[in-house]
């Protein structure tokens, strides 16, 4: 029986991909020989191993160890090394997740080997071609045989680009994971004490997108905004942001903001506990925008647009960019409505829907 099982390989490399893989891996394991390639795009303990450990994701079968680099170099190295790995593994299908350099590079390697690609979180668009993520997800969608789209807007984007075959309404694996762990979140509330925070009396901030983190003018603006907010801010800073603050000699200025606590990226459960008790969340992360809405916390998105348009139209999220006026207005009257979001589509969980669609495809 097990000899007849098809081989499905997941290629992951960055934090949000580990989160999507976590609820899917055990279900894939029941139906296929599921193997994991880790590109090494994220390698710090906080951004990688912490997630594998906490979310009980099976250890990667192959590590490509590419590390950081320019987009071309990182993408090129993942392309080359994942090709070698895929030739060795001979999978029946390759799954890629989201929109990072790992996503595009692995999809390209697989497509060139004539291996069918399944794209988890297909169809999202910011309509900003200057975003590396927009390039990665658009090209990946056009390379994919199976496209698992999480929202109606994502489906419409795909259709508009002429992609009409291989589509599955999968719902959102991030919601599935969050819904399943939610009962255990109170155990992690102690992390608030670690940062000296009180429930509902702080603002949780993350900011790591290239558009924000690599632009010294926007970093300066962010520091000024943080200073002007007269309540505790917990800023969980990504290494990219810290590196740029240091490079532009702005780290000292940030540390000098009296109401700001600078913290390192936190593991999954701790981040959710901090998000769940924040008065508001300010972020440029796609994942945290959704998690904020799912936890019923007001979200202010530090971008002029979002791929997750439903979070805005449902009233749970406000696009404030780095506009001091918009941020102060939104903090005075934070978005209140809970987004009515559900992990399931037609009563079925994303992990099951995705696995069933792959089975159908491989049975053809
Ligand atoms: C990547 C994704 C982004 C996603 C984010 C999640 C791309 C183009 N971007 O951005 O869409 O939202 O992951 O976190 O793929 N670094 C470390 N340790 C690490 C990893 C990175 O110090 O473990 C530092 C390095 O200085 C590196 C920089 O962060 O140069 C950026 O890392 P990179 O993986 O290129 O992109 P992210 O900003 O993490």
């Amino acid at each position: 029986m097990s000899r007849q099982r098809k081989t499905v390989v997941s290629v992951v490399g960055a934090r949000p991909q580990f989160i999507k893989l976590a609820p899917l891996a055990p279900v894939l394991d029941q139906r296929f020989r599921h193997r994991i390639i880790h590109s090494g795009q994220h390698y710090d303990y906080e951004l990688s191993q912490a997630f594998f450990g906490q979310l009980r994701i099976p250890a990667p079968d192959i590590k490509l160890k590419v590390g950081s680099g320019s987009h071309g170099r990182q993408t090129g190295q993942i392309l080359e090394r994942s090709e070698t790995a895929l030739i060795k593994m001979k999978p029946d299908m390759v799954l890629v997740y989201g929109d990072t350099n790992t996503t595009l590079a692995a999809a390209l390697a697989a497509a060139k080997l004539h291996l069918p690609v399944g794209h988890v979180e297909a169809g999202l668009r910011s309509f900003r071609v200057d975003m590396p993520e927009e390039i990665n997800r658009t090209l990946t969608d056009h390379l994919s045989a199976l496209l698992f789209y999480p929202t109606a807007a994502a489906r419409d984007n795909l259709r508009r680009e002429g992609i009409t075959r291989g589509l599955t309404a999968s719902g959102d694996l991030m919601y599935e994971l969050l819904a399943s762990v939610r009962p255990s979140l109170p155990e992690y509330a102690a992390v608030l004490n670690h940062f000296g925070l009180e429930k509902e009396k702080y603002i949780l901030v993350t900011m790591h997108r290239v558009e924000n983190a690599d632009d010294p003018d926007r970093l300066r603006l962010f520091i000024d905004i943080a200073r002007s907010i007269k309540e505790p801010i917990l800023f969980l800073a990504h290494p990219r942001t810290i590196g740029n603050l240091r490079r532009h000699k702005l780290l000292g200025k940030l540390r000098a903001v009296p109401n700001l606590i600078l913290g390192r990226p936190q593991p999954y459960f701790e981040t959710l506990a901090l998000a769940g008790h924040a008065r508001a969340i300010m972020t440029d992360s796609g994942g945290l925008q959704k998690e904020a809405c799912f936890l019923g916390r007001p979200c202010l998105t530090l971008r002029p647009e979002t791929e997750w348009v439903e979070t805005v139209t449902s009233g749970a999220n406000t696009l404030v960019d780095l506009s001091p006026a918009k941020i102060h207005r939104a903090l005075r009257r934070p978005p209140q409505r809970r987004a009515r979001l559900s992990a399931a589509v037609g009563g079925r969980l994303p992990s099951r829907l995705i696995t069933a669609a792959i089975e159908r495809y491989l049975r053809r």
Side-chain angles (χ1 to χ4, degrees):
M1 167 67 189
S2 67
R3 250 184 294 132
Q4 291 157 357
R5 284 194 170 200
K6 303 274 189 184
T7 300
V8 173
V9 169
S10 286
V11 188
V12 291
R15 189 170 51 171
Q17 296 165 334
F18 311 141
I19 294 174
K20 284 161 210 148
L21 178 61
L24 186 57
V27 185
L28 289 173
D29 266 334
Q30 291 166 14
R31 316 300 299 179
F32 309 110
R33 283 178 69 226
H34 179 232
R35 299 288 179 260
I36 297 172
I37 297 178
H38 188 320
S39 70
Q41 176 169 350
H42 284 178
Y43 44 88
D44 280 357
Y45 176 80
E46 287 110 328
L47 299 191
S48 181
Q49 289 101 309
F51 287 82
F52 276 80
Q54 208 173 47
L55 298 175
R56 301 207 177 111
I57 304 169
D61 297 276
I62 294 188
K63 294 182 181 172
L64 305 181
K65 299 188 178 154
V66 298
S68 300
S70 69
H71 285 274
R73 184 163 178 269
Q74 191 178 57
T75 310
Q77 284 193 345
I78 301 171
L79 173 66
E80 192 180 344
R81 294 184 196 180
S82 59
E83 180 184 62
T84 308
L86 292 173
I87 290 172
K88 205 160 97 189
M89 294 165 114
K90 297 189 184 58
D92 298 285
M93 165 146 281
V94 178
L95 286 183
V96 296
Y97 300 74
D99 55 18
T100 72
N101 291 340
T102 297
T103 315
L104 173 61
L108 192 51
K112 294 226 173 215
L113 292 169
H114 309 299
L115 298 170
V117 175
H119 186 198
V120 173
E121 224 170 63
L124 297 174
R125 296 291 181 269
S126 63
F127 304 102
R128 273 186 70 165
V129 284
D130 59 337
M131 276 180 81
E133 292 84 1
E134 184 78 352
I135 300 169
N136 292 339
R137 58 190 164 228
T138 306
L139 295 178
T140 301
D141 282 340
H142 285 265
L143 293 169
S144 296
L146 288 183
L147 298 101
F148 305 107
Y149 62 85
T151 63
R155 177 202 57 210
D156 295 345
N157 292 335
L158 292 170
R159 287 188 180 158
R160 214 175 297 121
E161 291 173 24
I163 302 175
T164 54
R165 299 183 59 182
L167 305 190
T168 299
S170 62
D172 194 323
L173 285 166
M174 293 185 76
Y175 291 151
E176 178 175 342
L177 180 63
L178 198 151
S180 72
V181 305
R182 208 170 172 179
S184 48
L185 288 183
E187 295 165 35
Y188 292 85
V191 67
L192 271 73
N193 305 335
H194 173 75
F195 289 111
L197 297 167
E198 286 176 61
K199 288 180 184 174
E200 305 281 329
K201 290 194 177 153
Y202 63 94
I203 295 167
L204 177 67
V205 179
T206 78
M207 191 178 79
H208 71 277
R209 296 268 172 191
V210 175
E211 308 83 73
N212 287 327
D214 289 17
D215 180 342
D217 290 336
R218 285 178 74 85
L219 289 173
R220 262 182 226 108
L221 183 56
F222 171 73
I223 296 170
D224 291 342
I225 290 169
R227 189 182 286 279
S228 70
I229 296 171
K230 303 289 179 214
E231 60 188 304
I233 293 174
L234 174 62
F235 180 33
L236 298 180
H238 186 290
R240 168 191 282 281
T241 314
I242 292 292
N244 281 311
L245 285 162
R246 195 170 281 131
R247 192 165 311 123
H248 298 296
K249 306 208 171 1
L250 291 169
L251 192 54
K253 200 171 170 218
L254 180 77
R255 285 193 202 281
V257 175
N259 52 312
L260 185 137
I261 302 158
L262 186 58
R264 297 174 74 91
Q266 294 295 303
Y268 182 70
F269 287 100
E270 283 79 356
T271 305
L272 289 185
L274 288 164
H277 292 297
R279 182 174 89 77
I281 294 159
M282 289 174 29
T283 186
D284 63 5
S285 146
L288 195 52
Q289 276 174 60
K290 290 188 291 169
E291 284 157 354
C293 297
F294 199 57
L295 291 164
R297 306 316 302 161
C299 185
L300 282 63
T301 293
L302 302 172
R303 291 174 50 194
E305 76 287 299
T306 180
E307 300 79 33
W308 300 100
V309 285
E310 289 82 356
T311 61
V312 177
T313 49
S314 70
N317 187 11
T318 311
L319 300 175
V320 293
D321 197 4
L322 281 180
S323 152
K326 285 184 188 167
I327 288 172
H328 283 288
R329 200 178 316 129
L331 284 178
R332 272 196 305 276
R333 300 185 55 201
Q336 286 300 336
R337 253 186 67 193
R338 264 169 187 258
R340 281 184 296 277
L341 301 166
S342 155
V345 175
R348 296 184 71 196
L349 290 174
S351 57
R352 306 269 161 195
L353 288 162
I354 292 170
T355 304
I358 298 171
E359 267 191 308
R360 275 196 303 278
Y361 181 88
L362 293 180
R363 227 186 280 131
R364 291 167 319 152

